[in-house]
C-alpha cells in the first residue's frame, strides 16, 4: 500500500483559530501527544511572528525525537533565519516556506509581478536549503492560481532543492473532482515532479476539506496537512481523525496507509479540546459524543444482533473504549498516575501532586471519577505557572427576590484583589465583581455549560468567550459547582489575555500565513 504522510498543523494553522492560542508549555504537551498519535510531521509554529511562537518552536524542536518538526516562514531571509534558529537541535528539521501565487494575492497583497514572485521563491528555497536538508514550499492560494504559472514556479523550486511541494486550498474554494484534475495537471505539467512529494492543505469553508484531501490522494498527493478536531483559520482545516478514518474504513477504495495509531485519536481530540477550551460538537464525526450512539429502536435492535449492521468502525478502533468507572476516592497516587499514562495523558511531575489533590476533592464530591473527568482535571492543571490571576475565593448571594450580589478575591503573586458587585444573575454578578477587582473592561460574548459525565454530581465544564481590547479569548473552567466553574473560566480567559499581552509583543511580522 502507498504511504500517505500525515503533516499535522494543529499547533500552527490550528493555533491561528480565534481564541485557540496556547502557552508554550501547552503546545509542547500537545506535540508530545501528536508524536504518540504517530503523525509524520509536526508543524510547530511560525517563529518570526512573535517571541512566543519562536519559543514554542524551539522547545518542540529540541524536545521531540523520531518525528519531523516543521516551522513556517515567508519567502524572506529574515524569516528563514529565524526558522533555522528555532530548529537548532532538532533531529529532523524542516523549513516550510511559502509565497502567494494567485493573481489576486500577487497583485493586491504582495504587489509583485509573477517573475518577481518566482525569483523570490527560488531564492528562499535555496537559502533555506543551506540551513536544512528538508525544505517544503507552499504556493499560497494555490487553488486560485493559474496552472501554467504554478507549473513554472513548482519546477523552479524543485530545481532549487524543495523536497515537498504543497498546494494549499487557502480559502477553501476547491471542489473534489475539480481539485483532483487541477493536481493531475500540475503533476503532468512539471517535468521534475518525481523529485518531490506532492502535498495538499485544505480549508473547510465549504465543508469540503476532508473530501478535497481524499481526492488529492487519489490524484497523486502523498502528504496531507491536517489538524486535530479540524481546528484552523476560519472554518478550519481538514480534520485528522476524519481523513485518517476514511482511509482506514474504506481501504477497499483507498489503498493507502498512514503511521497513525488510531487508538490514540480520541485522547488527542479530548486533550486538545480541553486545552484550548473548544467544545467538540456532539455530532462531530469520530470524536463527537453521539458519533457511536444508536438512538432509533430499529438501529439499536440491529446493533444488538450484529454490530456491523449500523457501525462502519468500532469505537475501540479510535480509542473510545474508556468511559467506564475507573477511579474513586480510595485510589492512590500511583493508581491515578497509571490511569493517566494509560490514557496517554502526560503531566509534569511537579504538577502531578496538585492534579492528584484536585482529583481527591472531586472524588470526594462525586464518588465516581470517569476518564472524561481526568482529561478535564489534567488540562486544568497544565500551564498554571504562566497564570497571572488565580481565584482565591468567591461568595454569591442570590434568590428570586434578591438582587444577585457576588464578592470575589483574586490572587496574583502575593497581591490580593477583592471586590463586590451586583448583576442580572449570580454568574453575571461574579463576572462584574472580577472586572471591578482587577479594573478590566470586558465583554462576554458566549457562555456555555456542559456536563462532562452523566449524573447529578457531574463535573460541569464552563466555557466563556470574552472580548478584551478587541481580542476574543476563550476560557474554561471545571468544577462540580457551576458558579465556581464559571468564575474559573472567566479568570482563565483573562489570564490568556495577560499571557497574550506579555508574550506576544511581536514585531507584527507574518500575519498572513496560509
Ligand atoms: Zn491554512
Amino acid at each position: 500500500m502507498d504511504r500517505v504522510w500525515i503533516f499535522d498543523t494543529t499547533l500552527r494553522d490550528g493555533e491561528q483559530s480565534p481564541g485557540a492560542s496556547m502557552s508554550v508549555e501547552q503546545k509542547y504537551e500537545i506535540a508530545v501527544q501528536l508524536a504518540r498519535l504517530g503523525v509524520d510531521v509536526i508543524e510547530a509554529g511560525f517563529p518570526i511572528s512573535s517571541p512566543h511562537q519562536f519559543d514554542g518552536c524551539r522547545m518542540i524542536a529540541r524536545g521531540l525525537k523520531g518525528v519531523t518538526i516543521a516551522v513556517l516562514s515567508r519567502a524572506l531571509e529574515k524569516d528563514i533565519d529565524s526558522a533555522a534558529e528555532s530548529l537548532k537541535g532538532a533531529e529532523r528539521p524542516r523549513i516550510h516556506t511559502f509565497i502567494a501565487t494567485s493573481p489576486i494575492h500577487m497583485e493586491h497583497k504582495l504587489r509583485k509581478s509573477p517573475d518577481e514572485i518566482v525569483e523570490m521563491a527560488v531564492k528562499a528555497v535555496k537559502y533555506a536549503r543551506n540551513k536544512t536538508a528538508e525544505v517544503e514550499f507552499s504556493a499560497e492560494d494555490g487553488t486560485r492560481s493559474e496552472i501554467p504559472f504554478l507549473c513554472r514556479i513548482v519546477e523552479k523550486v524543485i530545481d532549487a532543492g524543495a523536497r515537498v511541494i504543497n498546494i494549499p486550498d487557502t480559502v477553501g474554494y476547491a471542489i473534489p473532482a475539480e481539485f483532483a484534475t487541477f493536481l493531475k495537471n500540475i503533476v503532468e505539467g512539471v517535468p521534475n515532479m518525481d523529485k518531490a512529494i506532492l502535498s495538499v492543505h485544505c480549508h473547510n469553508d465549504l465543508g469540503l476539506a476532508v473530501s478535497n484531501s481524499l481526492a488529492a490522494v487519489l490524484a497523486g498527493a502523498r502528504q496531507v496537512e491536517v489538524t486535530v478536531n479540524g481546528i484552523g483559520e476560519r472554518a478550519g482545516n481538514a480534520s485528522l481523525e476524519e481523513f485518517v478514518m476514511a482511509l482506514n474504513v474504506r481501504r477497499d477504495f483507498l489503498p493507502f496507509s498512514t503511521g497513525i495509531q488510531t487508538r490514540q485519536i480520541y485522547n488527542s481530540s479530548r486533550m486538545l479540546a480541553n486545552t484550548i477550551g473548544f467544545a467538540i460538537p456532539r455530532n462531530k464525526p469520530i470524536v463527537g459524543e453521539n458519533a457511536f450512539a444508536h438512538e432509533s429502536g430499529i438501529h439499536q435492535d440491529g446493533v444488538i444482533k450484529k454490530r456491523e449492521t449500523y457501525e462502519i468502525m468500532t469505537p475501540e478502533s479510535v480509542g473510545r473504549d474508556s468511559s467506564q468507572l475507573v477511579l474513586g476516592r480510595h485510589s492512590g497516587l500511583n493508581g491515578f498516575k497509571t490511569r493517566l499514562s494509560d490514557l496517554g495523558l502526560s503531566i509534569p511531575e511537579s504538577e502531578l501532586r496538585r492534579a492528584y489533590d484536585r482529583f481527591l476533592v472531586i472524588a470526594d464530591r462525586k464518588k465516581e471519577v470517569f476518564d472524561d473527568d481526568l482529561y478535564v482535571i489534567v488540562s486544568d492543571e497544565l500551564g498554571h505557572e504562566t497564570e497571572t490571576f488565580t481565584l482565591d475565593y468567591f461568595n454569591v448571594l442570590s434568590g428570586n427576590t434578591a438582587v444577585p450580589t457576588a464578592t470575589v478575591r483574586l490572587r496574583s503573586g502575593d497581591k490580593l484583589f477583592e471586590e463586590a458587585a451586583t448583576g442580572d444573575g449570580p454568574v453575571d454578578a461574579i463576572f462584574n465583581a472580577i472586572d471591578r477587582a482587577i479594573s478590566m473592561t470586558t465583554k462576554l460574548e458566549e457562555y456555555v455549560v456542559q456536563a462532562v459525565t452523566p449524573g447529578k454530581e457531574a463535573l460541569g465544564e464552563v466555557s466563556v468567550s470574552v472580548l478584551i481590547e478587541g481580542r476574543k479569548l476563550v476560557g474554561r473552567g471545571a468544577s462540580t459547582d457551576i458558579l465556581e466553574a464559571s468564575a474559573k473560566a472567566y479568570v482563565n480567559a483573562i489570564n490568556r489575555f495577560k499571557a497574550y499581552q506579555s508574550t506576544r509583543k511581536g514585531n507584527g511580522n507574518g500575519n498572513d500565513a496560509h
Side-chain angles (χ1 to χ4, degrees):
M1 274 201 299
D2 265 352
R3 179 80 152 75
V4 173
W5 301 95
I6 299 294
F7 177 113
D8 181 280
T9 185
T10 304
L11 298 174
R12 201 278 297 165
D13 208 319
E15 210 223 0
Q16 277 172 226
S17 335
S21 58
M22 292 174 238
S23 71
V24 170
E25 293 76 16
Q26 287 173 325
K27 285 180 89 170
Y28 187 78
E29 290 301 327
I30 298 286
V32 169
Q33 178 58 29
L34 289 172
R36 200 179 281 133
L37 176 63
V39 307
D40 299 290
V41 185
I42 294 173
E43 187 163 50
F46 194 176
I48 190 109
S49 63
S50 75
H52 172 86
Q53 283 281 324
F54 183 91
D55 291 346
C57 293
R58 190 172 54 182
M59 188 169 173
I60 292 167
R62 286 187 183 167
L64 283 163
K65 304 295 171 205
V67 55
T68 297
I69 306 300
V71 297
L72 191 67
S73 73
R74 289 169 301 180
L76 299 172
E77 286 189 3
K78 61 173 180 174
D79 281 38
I80 296 165
D81 286 338
S82 166
E85 184 64 31
S86 76
L87 285 171
K88 268 192 185 151
E91 193 178 77
R92 296 187 205 161
R94 177 189 291 183
I95 292 178
H96 177 195
T97 187
F98 73 97
I99 197 161
T101 53
S102 64
I104 184 170
H105 278 232
M106 292 193 288
E107 225 178 288
H108 299 281
K109 190 182 82 178
L110 300 171
R111 299 203 174 92
K112 295 213 184 298
S113 73
D115 286 346
E116 286 173 298
I117 297 287
V118 173
E119 200 192 312
M120 281 177 77
V122 168
K123 222 174 112 193
V125 169
K126 280 188 179 155
Y127 191 73
R129 268 303 299 270
N130 281 330
K131 312 237 170 207
T132 57
E134 216 170 85
V135 174
E136 171 169 342
F137 172 78
S138 277
E140 192 197 358
D141 204 16
T143 48
R144 292 193 300 171
S145 303
E146 286 161 2
I147 289 174
F149 179 65
L150 264 184
C151 290
R152 185 176 141 213
I153 197 167
V154 167
E155 184 183 351
K156 290 273 169 58
V157 295
I158 293 175
D159 275 342
R163 294 273 163 81
V164 181
I165 298 296
N166 182 42
I167 307 294
D169 184 23
T170 304
V171 291
Y173 181 72
I175 301 292
E178 171 209 35
F179 192 40
T181 310
F182 187 87
L183 293 171
K184 277 183 191 149
N185 284 333
I186 294 171
V187 172
E188 282 161 17
V190 178
N192 55 359
M193 196 65 224
D194 59 321
K195 296 197 173 60
I197 293 170
L198 181 65
S199 165
V200 292
H201 173 109
C202 299
H203 275 276
N204 208 28
D205 298 68
L206 295 173
L208 293 172
V210 171
S211 309
N212 282 329
S213 303
L214 292 169
V217 169
L218 286 170
R222 288 296 176 271
Q223 176 183 283
V224 172
E225 305 196 356
V226 292
T227 60
V228 174
N229 296 342
I231 65 167
E233 283 277 356
R234 305 181 311 277
N237 289 66
S239 119
L240 181 148
E241 57 280 5
E242 293 172 26
F243 175 77
V244 167
M245 289 316 288
L247 289 190
N248 267 40
V249 170
R250 294 306 308 275
R251 231 168 241 156
D252 56 325
F253 186 70
L254 299 156
F256 305 99
S257 67
T258 68
I260 297 296
Q261 306 293 318
T262 60
R263 292 181 54 86
Q264 287 290 336
I265 284 179
Y266 189 61
N267 281 350
S268 311
S269 165
R270 284 301 315 231
M271 192 171 160
L272 178 73
N274 285 330
T275 303
I276 61 177
F278 281 21
I280 300 166
R282 277 168 194 267
N283 64 337
K284 171 96 173 63
I286 322 293
V287 293
E289 195 183 321
N290 293 353
F292 292 91
H294 303 282
E295 182 68 24
S296 125
I298 294 171
H299 289 207
Q300 284 179 351
D301 179 56
V303 170
I304 290 164
K305 286 176 177 148
K306 190 166 175 60
R307 241 174 133 162
E308 289 79 6
T309 49
Y310 289 97
E311 258 181 32
I312 58 167
M313 59 191 147
T314 62
E316 291 80 11
S317 66
V318 295
R320 297 189 59 156
D321 43 350
S322 51
S323 244
Q324 299 127 15
L325 168 67
V326 278
L327 297 171
R329 67 177 139 173
H330 300 300
S331 307
L333 179 62
N334 243 332
F336 176 71
K337 201 173 152 185
T338 308
R339 190 62 202 157
L340 291 189
S341 83
D342 288 350
L343 291 172
L345 294 166
S346 65
I347 186 162
E349 205 63 35
S350 57
E351 297 185 13
L352 183 68
R353 185 74 223 184
R354 213 168 49 196
Y356 179 66
D357 289 343
R358 177 87 198 284
F359 157 77
L360 286 180
V361 172
I362 289 166
D364 220 36
R365 281 198 213 166
K366 69 184 288 251
K367 317 246 175 340
E368 301 169 331
V369 178
F370 294 88
D371 288 347
D372 282 345
D373 296 321
L374 296 178
Y375 288 111
V376 172
I377 295 171
V378 168
S379 61
D380 237 30
E381 290 306 322
L382 281 177
H384 272 222
E385 67 280 14
T386 52
E387 278 193 341
T388 310
F389 297 108
T390 50
L391 180 69
D392 205 39
Y393 153 95
F394 81 97
N395 185 46
V396 185
L397 273 172
S398 183
N400 61 352
T401 55
V403 178
T405 310
T407 313
V408 297
R409 191 165 68 209
L410 303 185
R411 182 184 290 276
S412 174
D414 42 20
K415 273 192 236 152
L416 293 173
F417 302 84
E418 191 166 16
E419 265 296 348
T422 57
D424 294 336
V427 172
D428 188 44
I430 291 173
F431 292 176
N432 289 340
I434 292 172
D435 282 354
R436 201 182 266 186
I438 57 175
S439 315
M440 289 209 50
T441 314
T442 61
K443 187 170 174 266
L444 182 69
E445 293 218 307
E446 198 178 81
Y447 174 85
V448 181
V449 189
Q450 198 176 305
V452 177
T453 40
K456 219 168 56 185
E457 254 102 51
L459 198 56
E461 212 177 344
V462 170
S463 166
V464 295
S465 177
V466 184
L467 206 62
I468 308 174
E469 291 179 19
R471 196 172 172 83
K472 189 171 167 179
L473 285 309
V474 175
R476 51 169 300 286
S479 171
T480 47
D481 178 321
I482 287 303
L483 293 177
E484 188 182 0
S486 305
K488 283 169 102 176
Y490 198 69
V491 172
N492 183 235
I494 290 168
N495 281 330
R496 278 170 198 249
F497 177 71
K498 291 285 176 192
Y500 164 77
Q501 263 188 329
S502 64
T503 54
R504 298 216 173 179
K505 286 181 181 126
N507 41 20
N509 273 323
N511 295 322
D512 54 355
H514 61 81

